[in-house]
Amino acid sequence: MKNLLVVDIDDTIASMKDHWKPIYFSKKYLDKFKELKVKIAYLSGRPFIMLLYTHSWIHYNQFPQGGPIYHKWNIFEKNVFYKSKVLLKLKKSYNIIGMIGNADTDMKAAE
């Protein structure tokens, strides 16, 4: 089973306060995992309509690519429930080595 690191986007690797500029050192940190052959999944509470923007942002800012990117279909679903469901699905196919996020809901979803 391949190792997977799950990463939140907003205010974890992208600063919402600073017009979505990459948060200092976040790219270098994720690049180190990529060098170790760890696949990176981006798990966001953003609505699905922003998926193309997120793909473009990851590419433009040269963050590691190749892993899945998840956004919510149901904008009314609470982030903790949405992220918990995605993590349970990912656990069937990957060895999740960690979850990086900035919010309490990210940590609760990872429990």
PDB file of all heavy atoms in Angstrom, residues 2 7 17 27-28 36 52 68 80 84 94 105:
ATOM      1  N   LYS A   2       0.586   2.190  -0.847  1.00  0.00           N
ATOM      2  CA  LYS A   2       1.400   3.412  -0.986  1.00  0.00           C
ATOM      3  C   LYS A   2       1.115   4.389   0.166  1.00  0.00           C
ATOM      4  O   LYS A   2      -0.018   4.540   0.604  1.00  0.00           O
ATOM      5  CB  LYS A   2       1.086   4.072  -2.316  1.00  0.00           C
ATOM      6  CG  LYS A   2       2.011   5.210  -2.641  1.00  0.00           C
ATOM      7  CD  LYS A   2       2.009   5.504  -4.119  1.00  0.00           C
ATOM      8  CE  LYS A   2       2.934   6.649  -4.407  1.00  0.00           C
ATOM      9  NZ  LYS A   2       4.197   6.304  -4.913  1.00  0.00           N
ATOM     10  N   VAL A   7      -3.368  16.797   2.971  1.00  0.00           N
ATOM     11  CA  VAL A   7      -3.094  18.195   3.297  1.00  0.00           C
ATOM     12  C   VAL A   7      -4.317  19.057   3.005  1.00  0.00           C
ATOM     13  O   VAL A   7      -4.894  18.982   1.927  1.00  0.00           O
ATOM     14  CB  VAL A   7      -1.890  18.718   2.470  1.00  0.00           C
ATOM     15  CG1 VAL A   7      -1.570  20.163   2.816  1.00  0.00           C
ATOM     16  CG2 VAL A   7      -0.674  17.837   2.673  1.00  0.00           C
ATOM     17  N   LYS A  17      -5.753  35.198   4.014  1.00  0.00           N
ATOM     18  CA  LYS A  17      -5.613  36.602   4.405  1.00  0.00           C
ATOM     19  C   LYS A  17      -4.717  37.370   3.431  1.00  0.00           C
ATOM     20  O   LYS A  17      -4.767  38.586   3.363  1.00  0.00           O
ATOM     21  CB  LYS A  17      -5.023  36.696   5.817  1.00  0.00           C
ATOM     22  CG  LYS A  17      -5.928  36.127   6.872  1.00  0.00           C
ATOM     23  CD  LYS A  17      -5.240  36.115   8.220  1.00  0.00           C
ATOM     24  CE  LYS A  17      -6.072  35.334   9.195  1.00  0.00           C
ATOM     25  NZ  LYS A  17      -5.345  34.307   9.885  1.00  0.00           N
ATOM     26  N   LYS A  27       5.550  24.742   0.643  1.00  0.00           N
ATOM     27  CA  LYS A  27       5.941  24.003  -0.557  1.00  0.00           C
ATOM     28  C   LYS A  27       7.203  23.178  -0.310  1.00  0.00           C
ATOM     29  O   LYS A  27       7.265  22.006  -0.678  1.00  0.00           O
ATOM     30  CB  LYS A  27       6.159  24.954  -1.735  1.00  0.00           C
ATOM     31  CG  LYS A  27       6.539  24.224  -3.008  1.00  0.00           C
ATOM     32  CD  LYS A  27       6.976  25.186  -4.086  1.00  0.00           C
ATOM     33  CE  LYS A  27       7.590  24.513  -5.265  1.00  0.00           C
ATOM     34  NZ  LYS A  27       8.578  23.493  -4.995  1.00  0.00           N
ATOM     35  N   LYS A  28       8.204  23.782   0.331  1.00  0.00           N
ATOM     36  CA  LYS A  28       9.438  23.048   0.612  1.00  0.00           C
ATOM     37  C   LYS A  28       9.168  21.844   1.499  1.00  0.00           C
ATOM     38  O   LYS A  28       9.753  20.775   1.323  1.00  0.00           O
ATOM     39  CB  LYS A  28      10.474  23.962   1.271  1.00  0.00           C
ATOM     40  CG  LYS A  28      11.076  24.957   0.319  1.00  0.00           C
ATOM     41  CD  LYS A  28      12.150  25.783   0.990  1.00  0.00           C
ATOM     42  CE  LYS A  28      12.726  26.785   0.011  1.00  0.00           C
ATOM     43  NZ  LYS A  28      13.786  27.580   0.610  1.00  0.00           N
ATOM     44  N   LEU A  36      10.538  11.627  -0.736  1.00  0.00           N
ATOM     45  CA  LEU A  36      10.482  10.344  -0.028  1.00  0.00           C
ATOM     46  C   LEU A  36       9.463   9.387  -0.642  1.00  0.00           C
ATOM     47  O   LEU A  36       9.139   8.360  -0.072  1.00  0.00           O
ATOM     48  CB  LEU A  36      10.152  10.581   1.454  1.00  0.00           C
ATOM     49  CG  LEU A  36      11.202  11.346   2.239  1.00  0.00           C
ATOM     50  CD1 LEU A  36      10.667  11.734   3.615  1.00  0.00           C
ATOM     51  CD2 LEU A  36      12.477  10.523   2.365  1.00  0.00           C
ATOM     52  N   LEU A  52     -11.161  23.498 -10.409  1.00  0.00           N
ATOM     53  CA  LEU A  52     -10.255  23.919 -11.482  1.00  0.00           C
ATOM     54  C   LEU A  52      -9.301  25.011 -10.990  1.00  0.00           C
ATOM     55  O   LEU A  52      -8.106  24.987 -11.290  1.00  0.00           O
ATOM     56  CB  LEU A  52     -11.032  24.404 -12.706  1.00  0.00           C
ATOM     57  CG  LEU A  52     -10.190  24.811 -13.912  1.00  0.00           C
ATOM     58  CD1 LEU A  52      -9.298  23.663 -14.380  1.00  0.00           C
ATOM     59  CD2 LEU A  52     -11.087  25.264 -15.056  1.00  0.00           C
ATOM     60  N   PRO A  68      -4.571  12.894  -5.481  1.00  0.00           N
ATOM     61  CA  PRO A  68      -5.944  13.369  -5.670  1.00  0.00           C
ATOM     62  C   PRO A  68      -6.187  14.716  -4.992  1.00  0.00           C
ATOM     63  O   PRO A  68      -5.513  15.082  -4.038  1.00  0.00           O
ATOM     64  CB  PRO A  68      -6.784  12.269  -5.016  1.00  0.00           C
ATOM     65  CG  PRO A  68      -5.867  11.574  -4.068  1.00  0.00           C
ATOM     66  CD  PRO A  68      -4.485  11.723  -4.618  1.00  0.00           C
ATOM     67  N   VAL A  80     -16.063  18.701   8.850  1.00  0.00           N
ATOM     68  CA  VAL A  80     -15.561  17.557   9.617  1.00  0.00           C
ATOM     69  C   VAL A  80     -16.168  16.249   9.108  1.00  0.00           C
ATOM     70  O   VAL A  80     -15.468  15.239   9.001  1.00  0.00           O
ATOM     71  CB  VAL A  80     -15.777  17.743  11.138  1.00  0.00           C
ATOM     72  CG1 VAL A  80     -17.247  17.717  11.520  1.00  0.00           C
ATOM     73  CG2 VAL A  80     -14.980  16.717  11.930  1.00  0.00           C
ATOM     74  N   SER A  84     -13.962  13.474   7.082  1.00  0.00           N
ATOM     75  CA  SER A  84     -13.939  12.127   7.685  1.00  0.00           C
ATOM     76  C   SER A  84     -14.301  11.057   6.660  1.00  0.00           C
ATOM     77  O   SER A  84     -13.651  10.009   6.590  1.00  0.00           O
ATOM     78  CB  SER A  84     -14.908  12.045   8.864  1.00  0.00           C
ATOM     79  OG  SER A  84     -14.474  12.849   9.917  1.00  0.00           O
ATOM     80  N   TYR A  94      -4.755   3.488   0.692  1.00  0.00           N
ATOM     81  CA  TYR A  94      -3.456   4.068   1.045  1.00  0.00           C
ATOM     82  C   TYR A  94      -3.137   3.854   2.517  1.00  0.00           C
ATOM     83  O   TYR A  94      -4.039   3.704   3.340  1.00  0.00           O
ATOM     84  CB  TYR A  94      -3.452   5.588   0.790  1.00  0.00           C
ATOM     85  CG  TYR A  94      -3.620   5.989  -0.636  1.00  0.00           C
ATOM     86  CD1 TYR A  94      -4.864   6.359  -1.135  1.00  0.00           C
ATOM     87  CD2 TYR A  94      -2.532   6.031  -1.502  1.00  0.00           C
ATOM     88  CE1 TYR A  94      -5.023   6.750  -2.457  1.00  0.00           C
ATOM     89  CE2 TYR A  94      -2.682   6.415  -2.821  1.00  0.00           C
ATOM     90  CZ  TYR A  94      -3.932   6.768  -3.294  1.00  0.00           C
ATOM     91  OH  TYR A  94      -4.085   7.153  -4.594  1.00  0.00           O
ATOM     92  N   THR A 105     -11.459  21.168  12.922  1.00  0.00           N
ATOM     93  CA  THR A 105     -12.211  20.184  12.150  1.00  0.00           C
ATOM     94  C   THR A 105     -11.291  19.248  11.375  1.00  0.00           C
ATOM     95  O   THR A 105     -11.615  18.087  11.181  1.00  0.00           O
ATOM     96  CB  THR A 105     -13.173  20.872  11.158  1.00  0.00           C
ATOM     97  OG1 THR A 105     -12.459  21.801  10.355  1.00  0.00           O
ATOM     98  CG2 THR A 105     -14.288  21.586  11.904  1.00  0.00           C
TER      99      THR A 105
END
